[in-house]
Amino acid sequence: MGYTVAVVGATGAVGTRMIKMLEESNLPIDKVCLLSSSRSAGKVLQYKGQDITVELTTENSFEGVDIALFSAGGSVSAKFAPYAVKAGAVVVDNTSYFRQNPDVPLVVPEVNAHALDFHNGIIACPNCSTIQMMVALEPVRHKWGLERIIVSTYQAVSGAGQSAINETERELREVLNDGVNPKDLHADILPSGSDKKHYPIAFNALAQIDVFTDNDYTYEEMKMTNETKKIMEDASIAVSATCVRIPVLMAHSEAVYIETKKVAPIEEVKAAIATFPGAILEDDVTNQVYPQAINAVGSRDTFVGRIRKDLDAEKGIHMWVVSDNLLKGAAWNSVQIAEALHERGLVRPSQELKFELK
Amino acid sequence: MGYTVAVVGATGAVGTRMIKMLEESNLPIDKVCLLSSSRSAGKVLQYKGQDITVELTTENSFEGVDIALFSAGGSVSAKFAPYAVKAGAVVVDNTSYFRQNPDVPLVVPEVNAHALDFHNGIIACPNCSTIQMMVALEPVRHKWGLERIIVSTYQAVSGAGQSAINETERELREVLNDGVNPKDLHADILPSGSDKKHYPIAFNALAQIDVFTDNDYTYEEMKMTNETKKIMEDASIAVSATCVRIPVLMAHSEAVYIETKKVAPIEEVKAAIATFPGAILEDDVTNQVYPQAINAVGSRDTFVGRIRKDLDAEKGIHMWVVSDNLLKGAAWNSVQIAEALHERGLVRPSQELKFELK
């Protein structure tokens, strides 16, 4: 009666949290298959107290699978997600590979669950930094329209995976315990595992996440631009981002500036955010209440505060948006998409394979 | 023949760096007096290899002093700077107390040294976060005009003094070595020693620097707004800031968005910044070259990179600005003001005491 759910990339920072979110989900689940690369296959993880051996991901891993959650990198999704669809599964992909594909809905359930209705077997989960911004801004866009967004991010290293967390902790220990000058630290991973040079993150702020594109913005910054337009279904919204990694392990913070189409009274903006699903208003500066990364860790919600008028632009508003990048930014949003598919009766095989088998 | 220079707050994070900057300065200095509160009086510091005992600051500390550098908090400047002026000294004050006083020039020497010409005995050194932004933006304002600024800061804890540095290191050690959850850390200083509640900075980002004002911006944010207008001598420049403390010990980073009055070609903007005194262009994203806090520590320069057009606003430009907050942001800018006073023949007693003796 219940579903068979596969998690591809089960041993990673996001994968392990997907398992936890599935445990806590109200999805009817009969069986969980944990899949990974050859490096992690054979490891034993737990689902609801039960040992499950992680298996190697192959083209034949998806027989009998109803829902497959992918979070093992773009190349793994590119190769295996179409086989999962061919085998009759619905894929929720947490990588960037399919996000701009017109046949693939890009979904933050609170914002555009309706986009699931016409899926072709693959649904993309947006980038972590985009998701939390969408939760904060959708209630504002809905009531007053959205002209433009300028966002500066303060992103946690866990967005670059467990190896980046390990690197950060090692670097900080070398400075604090061994007196190494941060400038002299050795780095292998950050700012981007796939770029040529690597820099220390301990006591630093790195204005590079992912690699650079031709227009001098990074891919991370362009994800925020392009994904916002797709999720909000409005290509006219102007979005420019500066994405920065800081020495925080978990939870992204964002300084978000917006201009609305109509003048939005601040108290009404606060009320709209406070009543929006998934958003928590934390805004009482008299009592020093505003969102903090360390408080957001482990929560599925997006915390919004420091909401205030721009000092000059009549339609300008600033806010501070914080969320756990591994939960709402990845694992929880993916499982939440699976829940939405179930509620809408959309966990069903695709009729026509629209994705290339490689 | 040379000057007697007093440093008030000599034992602090900024004060000790003022002594170093004086050692390296080309000012003709005969004698250095080191002054502090009763808590630090009696300590022995060095100036050019010579032991100097720190003395208690009193109303009579300034007899024979030509130049007095203050960095011991606003209340100390409020009380003692007028006595220094009365005694015939020129005061360079690194606190916020006199910055908006119309009788006090607020000076970043590369930008508005001319404002020194009509001083009345006290010159204010701007806030650290403002100074580095001024160095980056003045060459742009000069050529293309400046309509507005939106800035998000990534500020080092040393801006809150040595006790904040100690607190940060202690918190990080408790998490890394003792496994304490960052949420459970005890904090006494940050975000602001003078506010009621204190929060951990380890693995966190605190969207509060200084206390809040009535308009829901913090004083730190309003300093960036008001000081920019005064230094650039143009109240029409729109400035809104979000000031954030991150777990970095030294050097502030800033994501700065500007709109110019005339369209500014990016390559010309880079050239203007590269040739501006005190500014270093670090902008070659193909080779992952951009300013980093850990590289700026110990330098007097302001590093500017990630310069790029806004994706939608024709006159919009984004950049990333990094500088050592204790040097250009405080100690060096103060000593640089003293050098500029000397070069302009302005180290002379004020004719009329415009400041209240308390």
Side-chain angles (χ1 to χ4, degrees), chain B residues 192-215:
Chain B
S192 168
S194 53
D195 212 337
K196 295 177 295 294
K197 294 185 197 168
H198 303 290
Y199 303 124
I201 186 66
F203 302 107
N204 205 5
L206 289 170
Q208 181 191 354
I209 298 183
D210 210 331
V211 297
F212 284 95
T213 71
D214 287 344
N215 67 2

Side-chain angles (χ1 to χ4, degrees), chain A residues 6-324:
Chain A
V7 178
V8 183
T11 61
V14 173
T16 52
R17 282 163 181 83
M18 282 174 164
I19 298 168
K20 188 164 184 292
M21 291 297 107
L22 287 172
E23 287 178 331
E24 297 174 8
S25 159
N26 52 24
L27 274 178
I29 299 173
D30 272 355
K31 192 184 163 196
V32 166
C33 309
L34 304 182
L35 301 167
S36 76
S37 66
S38 58
R39 210 180 44 203
S40 298
K43 282 189 184 173
V44 176
L45 297 177
Q46 289 215 326
Y47 175 76
K48 292 194 173 175
Q50 182 191 340
D51 284 351
I52 301 182
T53 303
V54 180
E55 289 169 51
L56 182 66
T57 314
T58 72
E59 295 164 8
N60 305 315
S61 296
F62 303 95
E63 296 308 319
V65 169
D66 300 295
I67 301 169
L69 309 178
F70 275 72
S71 189
S75 59
V76 174
S77 293
K79 179 155 187 206
F80 293 108
Y83 285 97
V85 176
K86 185 165 173 262
V90 175
V91 168
V92 181
D93 182 27
N94 188 47
T95 78
S96 64
Y97 189 78
F98 291 102
R99 284 183 194 146
Q100 294 305 320
N101 184 324
D103 288 326
V104 174
L106 182 68
V107 173
V108 180
E110 297 89 341
V111 178
N112 65 334
H114 61 267
L116 296 169
D117 291 342
F118 305 99
H119 81 76
N120 297 291
I122 300 181
I123 295 98
C125 178
N127 192 44
C128 45
S129 51
T130 311
I131 293 174
Q132 68 187 67
M133 187 167 82
M134 293 300 92
V135 174
L137 295 188
E138 173 60 14
V140 184
R141 188 205 63 77
H142 182 73
K143 273 195 107 160
W144 297 280
L146 213 46
E147 196 71 50
R148 75 181 302 194
I149 303 170
I150 295 173
V151 55
S152 304
T153 70
Y154 302 66
Q155 291 182 236
V157 297
S158 53
Q162 187 60 46
S163 59
I165 297 175
N166 298 344
E167 175 166 278
T168 305
E169 292 184 335
R170 193 252 308 150
E171 288 178 2
L172 285 168
R173 285 201 180 92
E174 285 183 24
V175 175
L176 292 166
N177 300 344
D178 310 332
V180 176
N181 185 324
K183 214 162 58 169
D184 301 327
L185 290 164
H186 175 78
D188 293 305
I189 311 283
L190 292 170
S192 167
S194 53
D195 213 337
K196 295 178 295 293
K197 296 185 195 168
H198 303 290
Y199 303 124
I201 186 67
F203 301 109
N204 206 5
L206 289 169
Q208 181 192 353
I209 298 183
D210 210 330
V211 297
F212 285 95
T213 71
D214 287 344
N215 67 1
D216 290 355
Y217 285 76
T218 59
Y219 272 96
E220 184 82 359
E221 289 160 356
M222 292 313 300
K223 285 174 204 165
M224 296 194 79
T225 299
N226 296 327
E227 294 177 15
T228 297
K229 293 171 194 275
K230 182 166 177 175
I231 296 163
M232 289 188 159
E233 296 170 359
D234 182 354
S236 76
I237 301 173
V239 186
S240 284
T242 301
C243 288
V244 180
R245 193 79 72 185
I246 62 169
V248 162
L249 298 186
M250 310 281 176
H252 292 347
S253 305
E254 298 177 347
V256 180
Y257 170 73
I258 58 169
E259 282 169 20
T260 51
K261 286 191 192 295
K262 288 178 281 183
V263 174
I266 286 296
E267 288 312 312
E268 291 182 31
V269 168
K270 290 182 182 176
I273 290 172
T275 53
F276 191 71
I280 304 280
L281 183 74
E282 283 195 318
D283 198 332
D284 175 9
V285 296
T286 312
N287 292 303
Q288 292 175 261
V289 174
Y290 40 77
Q292 294 182 38
I294 57 172
N295 297 334
V297 177
S299 169
R300 300 170 194 197
D301 292 315
T302 296
F303 300 88
V304 189
R306 295 292 327 269
I307 301 171
R308 62 207 193 276
K309 279 271 175 204
D310 185 80
L311 293 169
D312 299 277
E314 194 194 10
K315 294 171 184 164
I317 295 173
H318 299 265
M319 61 181 77
W320 180 246
V321 180
V322 178
S323 189
D324 187 323

Side-chain angles (χ1 to χ4, degrees), chain B residues 144 252 255-256 292 333:
Chain B
W144 297 281
H252 291 347
V256 180
Q292 294 181 39
N333 198 67

